[in-house]
Amino acid sequence: MKIVEIREKTVPISSPIRNAYIDFSKMTLSLVAVVTDVVRDGRRVIGYGFNSNGRYGQGTLMRERFIPRVLEADPASLLDDSGDNLDPHRVWDAMYINEKPGGHGERSVAIGTIDMAVWDAVAKIAGKPLFQLLAERYGNGRPDRRVFVYAAGGYYYPGQDLGKLKDEMRGYVDRGYTVVKKKIGGASLDEDLRRIDAILGVLGDGKKLAVDANGRFDLDTAIRYAKALSQYDLFWYEEAGDPLDFELQATLRNYYDKPMATGENLFSMQDARNLIRYGGMRPDRDWLQFDCALSYGLVEYLRTLDMLRQHGWSASRCIPHGGHQMSLNIAAGLGLGGNESYPDLFQPYGGFPDGVRVDNGYVTLPELPGIGFEGKADLIAEMRKLAE
């Protein structure tokens, strides 16, 4: 049993939308296939992965460093103790050889993308959904296939007016979502408040709306928004300042006593730990958004969950960024609080397997081997073009 090839392709997911910090007109991602020599049901087992939106494709790093290290390793060194399957932790260790600590940025995305594909292959070789395998190995053995999801939208785009914004949000509600998200900080405070008021005219309840500044604000601006947003009793106020400005986050809680969220741009257990140590996050109300596809993969995410437990946090306070099926499986298998969802954007990489519908804010994961990419026809078609 061995990995015979790892392929990467950089693909566009461009869109004429923007948040407070970047536009997505030239956004890309890396699509990866980990090809094994194992055959199941007459088909070679291939694990697939891709990185989340907001960070670009990492093909150069993969081809120059991480893929060669895996392929040059003794195949037996990448297997688990039984010799019957790959060991994702040993594959991860092979990728990380000769890497210095710190400086996690783009490297963590490259490794995290390959790691996703490895876990997909491991679960397929085991003949189980990834959520079941995770529950058995790291959880209580009983996955909860029903996972909370919210609809991420409300971006700024050319020609958008309040009517179109309301129509967008109404569309999410009509599809079964109970919480939606909009961007803030890409317009004036007054304009953003008008947008919030318009959306709440559709939702009727602030607890059904999350807002996201994408790290745009300095402390004074973050506080001004906090004071203005306090009137709404929102689901959360997300990433007000730079993700590594833990002092800003800790200070902001003195001005905003309602739920806040951050963490999607922290790419290691160590950075996540610094947020918990120094960022003033409150385990009784705040939310953590670490995204395994951007932060060295599930191997590192397991370390992060261990760290959270040691600091008195429950995994149920984690709702990952990214909107991908990998985090859905982690949520179902390890008891996370839910997952982000992109109903209309970044297709075919966002969304759920065909036939899965949102019911009162939740989706139920189907019994598909691996991560479940084969259940989404438009996505698996793109993946198989790369691998087969």
mmCIF file of all heavy atoms in Angstrom, residues 264-309:
data_model
loop_
_atom_site.group_PDB
_atom_site.id
_atom_site.type_symbol
_atom_site.label_atom_id
_atom_site.label_comp_id
_atom_site.label_asym_id
_atom_site.label_seq_id
_atom_site.Cartn_x
_atom_site.Cartn_y
_atom_site.Cartn_z
ATOM 1 N N GLU A 264 -10.315 32.706 11.861
ATOM 2 C CA GLU A 264 -10.181 32.070 10.552
ATOM 3 C C GLU A 264 -8.825 32.343 9.909
ATOM 4 O O GLU A 264 -8.416 31.611 9.011
ATOM 5 C CB GLU A 264 -11.292 32.532 9.608
ATOM 6 C CG GLU A 264 -11.170 33.966 9.132
ATOM 7 C CD GLU A 264 -12.267 34.368 8.164
ATOM 8 O OE1 GLU A 264 -13.438 34.360 8.573
ATOM 9 O OE2 GLU A 264 -11.945 34.682 7.008
ATOM 10 N N ASN A 265 -8.140 33.394 10.351
ATOM 11 C CA ASN A 265 -6.835 33.720 9.796
ATOM 12 C C ASN A 265 -5.702 33.448 10.777
ATOM 13 O O ASN A 265 -4.635 34.070 10.700
ATOM 14 C CB ASN A 265 -6.818 35.177 9.328
ATOM 15 C CG ASN A 265 -7.665 35.374 8.089
ATOM 16 O OD1 ASN A 265 -7.436 34.749 7.057
ATOM 17 N ND2 ASN A 265 -8.680 36.209 8.191
ATOM 18 N N LEU A 266 -5.923 32.509 11.666
ATOM 19 C CA LEU A 266 -4.873 31.982 12.535
ATOM 20 C C LEU A 266 -4.572 30.568 12.063
ATOM 21 O O LEU A 266 -5.456 29.717 12.045
ATOM 22 C CB LEU A 266 -5.318 31.994 13.991
ATOM 23 C CG LEU A 266 -5.680 33.371 14.555
ATOM 24 C CD1 LEU A 266 -6.118 33.252 16.004
ATOM 25 C CD2 LEU A 266 -4.517 34.343 14.428
ATOM 26 N N PHE A 267 -3.320 30.296 11.708
ATOM 27 C CA PHE A 267 -3.010 29.131 10.898
ATOM 28 C C PHE A 267 -2.163 28.082 11.610
ATOM 29 O O PHE A 267 -1.513 27.267 10.963
ATOM 30 C CB PHE A 267 -2.315 29.572 9.614
ATOM 31 C CG PHE A 267 -3.190 30.396 8.710
ATOM 32 C CD1 PHE A 267 -2.642 31.241 7.771
ATOM 33 C CD2 PHE A 267 -4.573 30.328 8.806
ATOM 34 C CE1 PHE A 267 -3.446 31.993 6.932
ATOM 35 C CE2 PHE A 267 -5.383 31.077 7.981
ATOM 36 C CZ PHE A 267 -4.820 31.912 7.037
ATOM 37 N N SER A 268 -2.176 28.089 12.934
ATOM 38 C CA SER A 268 -1.445 27.073 13.684
ATOM 39 C C SER A 268 -2.043 26.936 15.061
ATOM 40 O O SER A 268 -2.755 27.832 15.540
ATOM 41 C CB SER A 268 0.036 27.464 13.816
ATOM 42 O OG SER A 268 0.176 28.596 14.659
ATOM 43 N N MET A 269 -1.740 25.812 15.722
ATOM 44 C CA MET A 269 -2.166 25.652 17.097
ATOM 45 C C MET A 269 -1.564 26.746 17.966
ATOM 46 O O MET A 269 -2.228 27.280 18.866
ATOM 47 C CB MET A 269 -1.757 24.262 17.601
ATOM 48 C CG MET A 269 -2.203 23.953 19.040
ATOM 49 S SD MET A 269 -1.153 24.665 20.327
ATOM 50 C CE MET A 269 0.324 23.648 20.157
ATOM 51 N N GLN A 270 -0.309 27.128 17.706
ATOM 52 C CA GLN A 270 0.351 28.122 18.541
ATOM 53 C C GLN A 270 -0.343 29.480 18.454
ATOM 54 O O GLN A 270 -0.520 30.164 19.471
ATOM 55 C CB GLN A 270 1.829 28.248 18.138
ATOM 56 C CG GLN A 270 2.664 27.019 18.463
ATOM 57 C CD GLN A 270 2.594 25.935 17.387
ATOM 58 O OE1 GLN A 270 1.855 26.065 16.404
ATOM 59 N NE2 GLN A 270 3.376 24.878 17.553
ATOM 60 N N ASP A 271 -0.727 29.898 17.233
ATOM 61 C CA ASP A 271 -1.437 31.167 17.094
ATOM 62 C C ASP A 271 -2.823 31.084 17.736
ATOM 63 O O ASP A 271 -3.292 32.049 18.351
ATOM 64 C CB ASP A 271 -1.565 31.547 15.619
ATOM 65 C CG ASP A 271 -0.254 32.082 15.047
ATOM 66 O OD1 ASP A 271 0.621 32.482 15.843
ATOM 67 O OD2 ASP A 271 -0.108 32.102 13.812
ATOM 68 N N ALA A 272 -3.490 29.941 17.567
ATOM 69 C CA ALA A 272 -4.785 29.760 18.222
ATOM 70 C C ALA A 272 -4.631 29.834 19.745
ATOM 71 O O ALA A 272 -5.459 30.431 20.437
ATOM 72 C CB ALA A 272 -5.392 28.419 17.812
ATOM 73 N N ARG A 273 -3.578 29.245 20.250
ATOM 74 C CA ARG A 273 -3.333 29.289 21.695
ATOM 75 C C ARG A 273 -3.085 30.718 22.170
ATOM 76 O O ARG A 273 -3.561 31.115 23.253
ATOM 77 C CB ARG A 273 -2.145 28.394 22.041
ATOM 78 C CG ARG A 273 -1.860 28.286 23.542
ATOM 79 C CD ARG A 273 -0.766 27.269 23.799
ATOM 80 N NE ARG A 273 0.476 27.634 23.130
ATOM 81 C CZ ARG A 273 1.495 26.790 22.944
ATOM 82 N NH1 ARG A 273 1.416 25.530 23.358
ATOM 83 N NH2 ARG A 273 2.593 27.201 22.336
ATOM 84 N N ASN A 274 -2.376 31.503 21.392
ATOM 85 C CA ASN A 274 -2.159 32.899 21.776
ATOM 86 C C ASN A 274 -3.468 33.682 21.807
ATOM 87 O O ASN A 274 -3.657 34.564 22.661
ATOM 88 C CB ASN A 274 -1.165 33.557 20.831
ATOM 89 C CG ASN A 274 0.271 33.202 21.156
ATOM 90 O OD1 ASN A 274 0.581 32.817 22.283
ATOM 91 N ND2 ASN A 274 1.154 33.312 20.173
ATOM 92 N N LEU A 275 -4.374 33.377 20.874
ATOM 93 C CA LEU A 275 -5.685 34.009 20.924
ATOM 94 C C LEU A 275 -6.397 33.674 22.230
ATOM 95 O O LEU A 275 -6.966 34.550 22.888
ATOM 96 C CB LEU A 275 -6.539 33.561 19.732
ATOM 97 C CG LEU A 275 -7.998 34.043 19.752
ATOM 98 C CD1 LEU A 275 -8.073 35.569 19.592
ATOM 99 C CD2 LEU A 275 -8.811 33.347 18.658
ATOM 100 N N ILE A 276 -6.375 32.415 22.614
ATOM 101 C CA ILE A 276 -7.047 31.992 23.842
ATOM 102 C C ILE A 276 -6.356 32.596 25.068
ATOM 103 O O ILE A 276 -7.015 33.019 26.032
ATOM 104 C CB ILE A 276 -7.064 30.450 23.928
ATOM 105 C CG1 ILE A 276 -7.841 29.856 22.750
ATOM 106 C CG2 ILE A 276 -7.665 29.990 25.250
ATOM 107 C CD1 ILE A 276 -9.251 30.360 22.589
ATOM 108 N N ARG A 277 -5.037 32.669 25.042
ATOM 109 C CA ARG A 277 -4.300 33.221 26.186
ATOM 110 C C ARG A 277 -4.471 34.719 26.331
ATOM 111 O O ARG A 277 -4.631 35.238 27.440
ATOM 112 C CB ARG A 277 -2.805 32.918 26.029
ATOM 113 C CG ARG A 277 -2.384 31.488 26.321
ATOM 114 C CD ARG A 277 -0.898 31.316 26.000
ATOM 115 N NE ARG A 277 -0.378 30.013 26.444
ATOM 116 C CZ ARG A 277 0.846 29.578 26.158
ATOM 117 N NH1 ARG A 277 1.664 30.312 25.413
ATOM 118 N NH2 ARG A 277 1.253 28.403 26.604
ATOM 119 N N TYR A 278 -4.432 35.440 25.208
ATOM 120 C CA TYR A 278 -4.270 36.888 25.264
ATOM 121 C C TYR A 278 -5.384 37.689 24.590
ATOM 122 O O TYR A 278 -5.392 38.912 24.699
ATOM 123 C CB TYR A 278 -2.937 37.281 24.617
ATOM 124 C CG TYR A 278 -1.763 36.508 25.158
ATOM 125 C CD1 TYR A 278 -0.985 35.714 24.313
ATOM 126 C CD2 TYR A 278 -1.416 36.561 26.505
ATOM 127 C CE1 TYR A 278 0.102 34.998 24.798
ATOM 128 C CE2 TYR A 278 -0.337 35.835 27.003
ATOM 129 C CZ TYR A 278 0.410 35.061 26.148
ATOM 130 O OH TYR A 278 1.478 34.350 26.630
ATOM 131 N N GLY A 279 -6.297 37.013 23.891
ATOM 132 C CA GLY A 279 -7.291 37.737 23.107
ATOM 133 C C GLY A 279 -8.582 38.051 23.827
ATOM 134 O O GLY A 279 -9.477 38.652 23.226
ATOM 135 N N GLY A 280 -8.694 37.639 25.080
ATOM 136 C CA GLY A 280 -9.886 37.982 25.842
ATOM 137 C C GLY A 280 -11.147 37.283 25.380
ATOM 138 O O GLY A 280 -12.257 37.719 25.702
ATOM 139 N N MET A 281 -11.014 36.196 24.645
ATOM 140 C CA MET A 281 -12.195 35.476 24.167
ATOM 141 C C MET A 281 -12.896 34.788 25.332
ATOM 142 O O MET A 281 -12.258 34.260 26.243
ATOM 143 C CB MET A 281 -11.808 34.463 23.102
ATOM 144 C CG MET A 281 -11.155 35.062 21.867
ATOM 145 S SD MET A 281 -12.254 36.131 20.930
ATOM 146 C CE MET A 281 -13.256 34.902 20.076
ATOM 147 N N ARG A 282 -14.225 34.777 25.279
ATOM 148 C CA ARG A 282 -15.055 34.304 26.380
ATOM 149 C C ARG A 282 -15.721 32.984 26.001
ATOM 150 O O ARG A 282 -16.546 32.946 25.092
ATOM 151 C CB ARG A 282 -16.093 35.370 26.714
ATOM 152 C CG ARG A 282 -15.480 36.718 27.082
ATOM 153 C CD ARG A 282 -16.412 37.888 26.853
ATOM 154 N NE ARG A 282 -16.765 38.051 25.448
ATOM 155 C CZ ARG A 282 -17.458 39.087 24.968
ATOM 156 N NH1 ARG A 282 -17.843 40.072 25.761
ATOM 157 N NH2 ARG A 282 -17.756 39.142 23.682
ATOM 158 N N PRO A 283 -15.371 31.895 26.699
ATOM 159 C CA PRO A 283 -15.872 30.571 26.299
ATOM 160 C C PRO A 283 -17.359 30.370 26.502
ATOM 161 O O PRO A 283 -17.912 29.387 26.015
ATOM 162 C CB PRO A 283 -15.056 29.604 27.168
ATOM 163 C CG PRO A 283 -14.606 30.410 28.338
ATOM 164 C CD PRO A 283 -14.422 31.803 27.823
ATOM 165 N N ASP A 284 -18.022 31.297 27.181
ATOM 166 C CA ASP A 284 -19.461 31.153 27.385
ATOM 167 C C ASP A 284 -20.284 31.788 26.277
ATOM 168 O O ASP A 284 -21.488 31.544 26.187
ATOM 169 C CB ASP A 284 -19.876 31.767 28.723
ATOM 170 C CG ASP A 284 -19.674 33.275 28.760
ATOM 171 O OD1 ASP A 284 -18.682 33.765 28.182
ATOM 172 O OD2 ASP A 284 -20.505 33.978 29.373
ATOM 173 N N ARG A 285 -19.645 32.596 25.402
ATOM 174 C CA ARG A 285 -20.445 33.273 24.366
ATOM 175 C C ARG A 285 -19.744 33.451 23.022
ATOM 176 O O ARG A 285 -20.405 33.596 21.997
ATOM 177 C CB ARG A 285 -20.906 34.644 24.877
ATOM 178 C CG ARG A 285 -19.810 35.716 24.943
ATOM 179 C CD ARG A 285 -20.185 36.890 25.784
ATOM 180 N NE ARG A 285 -20.076 36.538 27.202
ATOM 181 C CZ ARG A 285 -20.222 37.400 28.203
ATOM 182 N NH1 ARG A 285 -20.525 38.654 27.928
ATOM 183 N NH2 ARG A 285 -20.092 37.020 29.448
ATOM 184 N N ASP A 286 -18.415 33.484 22.994
ATOM 185 C CA ASP A 286 -17.700 33.773 21.761
ATOM 186 C C ASP A 286 -17.468 32.507 20.940
ATOM 187 O O ASP A 286 -17.595 31.388 21.429
ATOM 188 C CB ASP A 286 -16.368 34.460 22.065
ATOM 189 C CG ASP A 286 -16.562 35.862 22.621
ATOM 190 O OD1 ASP A 286 -17.610 36.467 22.365
ATOM 191 O OD2 ASP A 286 -15.650 36.349 23.330
ATOM 192 N N TRP A 287 -17.098 32.732 19.652
ATOM 193 C CA TRP A 287 -16.977 31.641 18.691
ATOM 194 C C TRP A 287 -15.587 31.647 18.063
ATOM 195 O O TRP A 287 -15.018 32.708 17.799
ATOM 196 C CB TRP A 287 -18.036 31.775 17.594
ATOM 197 C CG TRP A 287 -19.434 31.735 18.110
ATOM 198 C CD1 TRP A 287 -20.235 32.794 18.434
ATOM 199 C CD2 TRP A 287 -20.214 30.557 18.373
ATOM 200 N NE1 TRP A 287 -21.455 32.354 18.881
ATOM 201 C CE2 TRP A 287 -21.481 30.994 18.860
ATOM 202 C CE3 TRP A 287 -19.970 29.194 18.249
ATOM 203 C CZ2 TRP A 287 -22.480 30.099 19.209
ATOM 204 C CZ3 TRP A 287 -20.969 28.296 18.599
ATOM 205 C CH2 TRP A 287 -22.211 28.756 19.069
ATOM 206 N N LEU A 288 -15.071 30.457 17.789
ATOM 207 C CA LEU A 288 -13.744 30.277 17.209
ATOM 208 C C LEU A 288 -13.887 29.691 15.804
ATOM 209 O O LEU A 288 -14.604 28.720 15.608
ATOM 210 C CB LEU A 288 -12.916 29.342 18.084
ATOM 211 C CG LEU A 288 -12.785 29.773 19.548
ATOM 212 C CD1 LEU A 288 -12.115 28.685 20.368
ATOM 213 C CD2 LEU A 288 -12.020 31.087 19.667
ATOM 214 N N GLN A 289 -13.176 30.280 14.834
ATOM 215 C CA GLN A 289 -13.417 29.971 13.421
ATOM 216 C C GLN A 289 -12.215 29.354 12.716
ATOM 217 O O GLN A 289 -12.096 29.424 11.492
ATOM 218 C CB GLN A 289 -13.837 31.262 12.705
ATOM 219 C CG GLN A 289 -15.093 31.875 13.287
ATOM 220 C CD GLN A 289 -15.378 33.238 12.704
ATOM 221 O OE1 GLN A 289 -14.574 34.156 12.799
ATOM 222 N NE2 GLN A 289 -16.527 33.378 12.072
ATOM 223 N N PHE A 290 -11.330 28.695 13.450
ATOM 224 C CA PHE A 290 -10.156 28.062 12.845
ATOM 225 C C PHE A 290 -10.590 27.131 11.721
ATOM 226 O O PHE A 290 -11.530 26.360 11.861
ATOM 227 C CB PHE A 290 -9.376 27.276 13.894
ATOM 228 C CG PHE A 290 -9.171 28.018 15.189
ATOM 229 C CD1 PHE A 290 -9.576 27.461 16.396
ATOM 230 C CD2 PHE A 290 -8.595 29.268 15.204
ATOM 231 C CE1 PHE A 290 -9.401 28.134 17.586
ATOM 232 C CE2 PHE A 290 -8.408 29.959 16.397
ATOM 233 C CZ PHE A 290 -8.814 29.382 17.591
ATOM 234 N N ASP A 291 -9.866 27.206 10.600
ATOM 235 C CA ASP A 291 -10.210 26.464 9.383
ATOM 236 C C ASP A 291 -9.074 25.493 9.081
ATOM 237 O O ASP A 291 -7.965 25.897 8.740
ATOM 238 C CB ASP A 291 -10.400 27.460 8.240
ATOM 239 C CG ASP A 291 -10.736 26.812 6.908
ATOM 240 O OD1 ASP A 291 -10.668 25.575 6.791
ATOM 241 O OD2 ASP A 291 -11.075 27.566 5.980
ATOM 242 N N CYS A 292 -9.352 24.201 9.182
ATOM 243 C CA CYS A 292 -8.291 23.208 9.004
ATOM 244 C C CYS A 292 -7.646 23.294 7.630
ATOM 245 O O CYS A 292 -6.448 23.018 7.485
ATOM 246 C CB CYS A 292 -8.823 21.800 9.264
ATOM 247 S SG CYS A 292 -9.949 21.181 7.997
ATOM 248 N N ALA A 293 -8.397 23.657 6.601
ATOM 249 C CA ALA A 293 -7.848 23.695 5.248
ATOM 250 C C ALA A 293 -6.812 24.797 5.071
ATOM 251 O O ALA A 293 -6.021 24.760 4.130
ATOM 252 C CB ALA A 293 -8.969 23.877 4.231
ATOM 253 N N LEU A 294 -6.807 25.782 5.956
ATOM 254 C CA LEU A 294 -5.826 26.860 5.904
ATOM 255 C C LEU A 294 -4.758 26.723 6.970
ATOM 256 O O LEU A 294 -3.749 27.434 6.925
ATOM 257 C CB LEU A 294 -6.528 28.219 6.078
ATOM 258 C CG LEU A 294 -7.624 28.559 5.067
ATOM 259 C CD1 LEU A 294 -8.217 29.930 5.376
ATOM 260 C CD2 LEU A 294 -7.097 28.507 3.639
ATOM 261 N N SER A 295 -4.948 25.830 7.929
ATOM 262 C CA SER A 295 -4.078 25.809 9.110
ATOM 263 C C SER A 295 -3.477 24.426 9.336
ATOM 264 O O SER A 295 -3.685 23.803 10.363
ATOM 265 C CB SER A 295 -4.833 26.283 10.348
ATOM 266 O OG SER A 295 -6.026 25.537 10.543
ATOM 267 N N TYR A 296 -2.739 23.942 8.324
ATOM 268 C CA TYR A 296 -1.988 22.688 8.407
ATOM 269 C C TYR A 296 -2.870 21.445 8.447
ATOM 270 O O TYR A 296 -2.367 20.355 8.693
ATOM 271 C CB TYR A 296 -1.070 22.673 9.634
ATOM 272 C CG TYR A 296 0.121 23.589 9.548
ATOM 273 C CD1 TYR A 296 0.215 24.703 10.370
ATOM 274 C CD2 TYR A 296 1.169 23.326 8.676
ATOM 275 C CE1 TYR A 296 1.321 25.544 10.322
ATOM 276 C CE2 TYR A 296 2.272 24.158 8.611
ATOM 277 C CZ TYR A 296 2.342 25.275 9.445
ATOM 278 O OH TYR A 296 3.444 26.097 9.378
ATOM 279 N N GLY A 297 -4.175 21.579 8.230
ATOM 280 C CA GLY A 297 -5.008 20.407 8.111
ATOM 281 C C GLY A 297 -5.547 19.876 9.424
ATOM 282 O O GLY A 297 -5.383 20.455 10.498
ATOM 283 N N LEU A 298 -6.198 18.717 9.318
ATOM 284 C CA LEU A 298 -6.848 18.104 10.474
ATOM 285 C C LEU A 298 -5.836 17.632 11.511
ATOM 286 O O LEU A 298 -6.127 17.649 12.718
ATOM 287 C CB LEU A 298 -7.724 16.939 10.012
ATOM 288 C CG LEU A 298 -8.409 16.103 11.093
ATOM 289 C CD1 LEU A 298 -9.226 16.966 12.051
ATOM 290 C CD2 LEU A 298 -9.278 15.029 10.460
ATOM 291 N N VAL A 299 -4.656 17.209 11.089
ATOM 292 C CA VAL A 299 -3.641 16.797 12.060
ATOM 293 C C VAL A 299 -3.367 17.937 13.038
ATOM 294 O O VAL A 299 -3.321 17.743 14.258
ATOM 295 C CB VAL A 299 -2.348 16.355 11.345
ATOM 296 C CG1 VAL A 299 -1.200 16.204 12.337
ATOM 297 C CG2 VAL A 299 -2.579 15.040 10.602
ATOM 298 N N GLU A 300 -3.196 19.144 12.528
ATOM 299 C CA GLU A 300 -2.984 20.307 13.394
ATOM 300 C C GLU A 300 -4.261 20.699 14.118
ATOM 301 O O GLU A 300 -4.218 21.128 15.281
ATOM 302 C CB GLU A 300 -2.463 21.486 12.560
ATOM 303 C CG GLU A 300 -2.160 22.731 13.368
ATOM 304 C CD GLU A 300 -0.796 22.684 14.067
ATOM 305 O OE1 GLU A 300 -0.169 21.603 14.111
ATOM 306 O OE2 GLU A 300 -0.352 23.730 14.563
ATOM 307 N N TYR A 301 -5.404 20.547 13.477
ATOM 308 C CA TYR A 301 -6.676 20.905 14.108
ATOM 309 C C TYR A 301 -6.920 20.050 15.356
ATOM 310 O O TYR A 301 -7.457 20.532 16.356
ATOM 311 C CB TYR A 301 -7.821 20.738 13.109
ATOM 312 C CG TYR A 301 -9.053 21.542 13.446
ATOM 313 C CD1 TYR A 301 -9.175 22.858 13.017
ATOM 314 C CD2 TYR A 301 -10.086 21.000 14.189
ATOM 315 C CE1 TYR A 301 -10.303 23.607 13.325
ATOM 316 C CE2 TYR A 301 -11.217 21.738 14.509
ATOM 317 C CZ TYR A 301 -11.325 23.039 14.065
ATOM 318 O OH TYR A 301 -12.431 23.782 14.379
ATOM 319 N N LEU A 302 -6.520 18.789 15.304
ATOM 320 C CA LEU A 302 -6.644 17.928 16.479
ATOM 321 C C LEU A 302 -5.790 18.469 17.624
ATOM 322 O O LEU A 302 -6.215 18.433 18.797
ATOM 323 C CB LEU A 302 -6.234 16.502 16.137
ATOM 324 C CG LEU A 302 -7.188 15.738 15.209
ATOM 325 C CD1 LEU A 302 -6.525 14.480 14.672
ATOM 326 C CD2 LEU A 302 -8.489 15.388 15.944
ATOM 327 N N ARG A 303 -4.614 18.988 17.310
ATOM 328 C CA ARG A 303 -3.785 19.614 18.339
ATOM 329 C C ARG A 303 -4.471 20.858 18.901
ATOM 330 O O ARG A 303 -4.428 21.123 20.115
ATOM 331 C CB ARG A 303 -2.421 19.994 17.765
ATOM 332 C CG ARG A 303 -1.593 18.824 17.245
ATOM 333 C CD ARG A 303 -0.241 19.319 16.735
ATOM 334 N NE ARG A 303 0.514 18.234 16.108
ATOM 335 C CZ ARG A 303 0.950 18.230 14.865
ATOM 336 N NH1 ARG A 303 0.695 19.274 14.085
ATOM 337 N NH2 ARG A 303 1.632 17.209 14.383
ATOM 338 N N THR A 304 -5.114 21.615 18.027
ATOM 339 C CA THR A 304 -5.818 22.813 18.470
ATOM 340 C C THR A 304 -6.982 22.456 19.387
ATOM 341 O O THR A 304 -7.207 23.114 20.413
ATOM 342 C CB THR A 304 -6.309 23.611 17.253
ATOM 343 O OG1 THR A 304 -5.182 24.027 16.475
ATOM 344 C CG2 THR A 304 -7.094 24.838 17.674
ATOM 345 N N LEU A 305 -7.727 21.411 19.039
ATOM 346 C CA LEU A 305 -8.836 20.992 19.902
ATOM 347 C C LEU A 305 -8.328 20.526 21.258
ATOM 348 O O LEU A 305 -8.960 20.801 22.301
ATOM 349 C CB LEU A 305 -9.640 19.890 19.214
ATOM 350 C CG LEU A 305 -10.444 20.306 17.978
ATOM 351 C CD1 LEU A 305 -11.145 19.093 17.369
ATOM 352 C CD2 LEU A 305 -11.471 21.383 18.312
ATOM 353 N N ASP A 306 -7.201 19.833 21.289
ATOM 354 C CA ASP A 306 -6.612 19.432 22.572
ATOM 355 C C ASP A 306 -6.250 20.665 23.397
ATOM 356 O O ASP A 306 -6.480 20.706 24.619
ATOM 357 C CB ASP A 306 -5.363 18.573 22.345
ATOM 358 C CG ASP A 306 -5.689 17.156 21.907
ATOM 359 O OD1 ASP A 306 -6.843 16.717 22.108
ATOM 360 O OD2 ASP A 306 -4.792 16.479 21.354
ATOM 361 N N MET A 307 -5.652 21.653 22.749
ATOM 362 C CA MET A 307 -5.294 22.888 23.441
ATOM 363 C C MET A 307 -6.526 23.572 24.017
ATOM 364 O O MET A 307 -6.521 24.045 25.160
ATOM 365 C CB MET A 307 -4.562 23.828 22.475
ATOM 366 C CG MET A 307 -4.200 25.196 23.030
ATOM 367 S SD MET A 307 -5.541 26.440 22.926
ATOM 368 C CE MET A 307 -5.713 26.626 21.153
ATOM 369 N N LEU A 308 -7.604 23.619 23.249
ATOM 370 C CA LEU A 308 -8.828 24.269 23.725
ATOM 371 C C LEU A 308 -9.364 23.571 24.971
ATOM 372 O O LEU A 308 -9.784 24.231 25.938
ATOM 373 C CB LEU A 308 -9.884 24.275 22.617
ATOM 374 C CG LEU A 308 -9.574 25.164 21.407
ATOM 375 C CD1 LEU A 308 -10.664 25.000 20.344
ATOM 376 C CD2 LEU A 308 -9.444 26.623 21.820
ATOM 377 N N ARG A 309 -9.370 22.249 24.948
ATOM 378 C CA ARG A 309 -9.834 21.510 26.123
ATOM 379 C C ARG A 309 -8.991 21.838 27.351
ATOM 380 O O ARG A 309 -9.520 22.004 28.461
ATOM 381 C CB ARG A 309 -9.813 20.008 25.832
ATOM 382 C CG ARG A 309 -10.974 19.522 24.987
ATOM 383 C CD ARG A 309 -11.042 18.003 24.929
ATOM 384 N NE ARG A 309 -9.970 17.433 24.112
ATOM 385 C CZ ARG A 309 -10.079 17.218 22.803
ATOM 386 N NH1 ARG A 309 -11.204 17.514 22.161
ATOM 387 N NH2 ARG A 309 -9.064 16.676 22.137
#
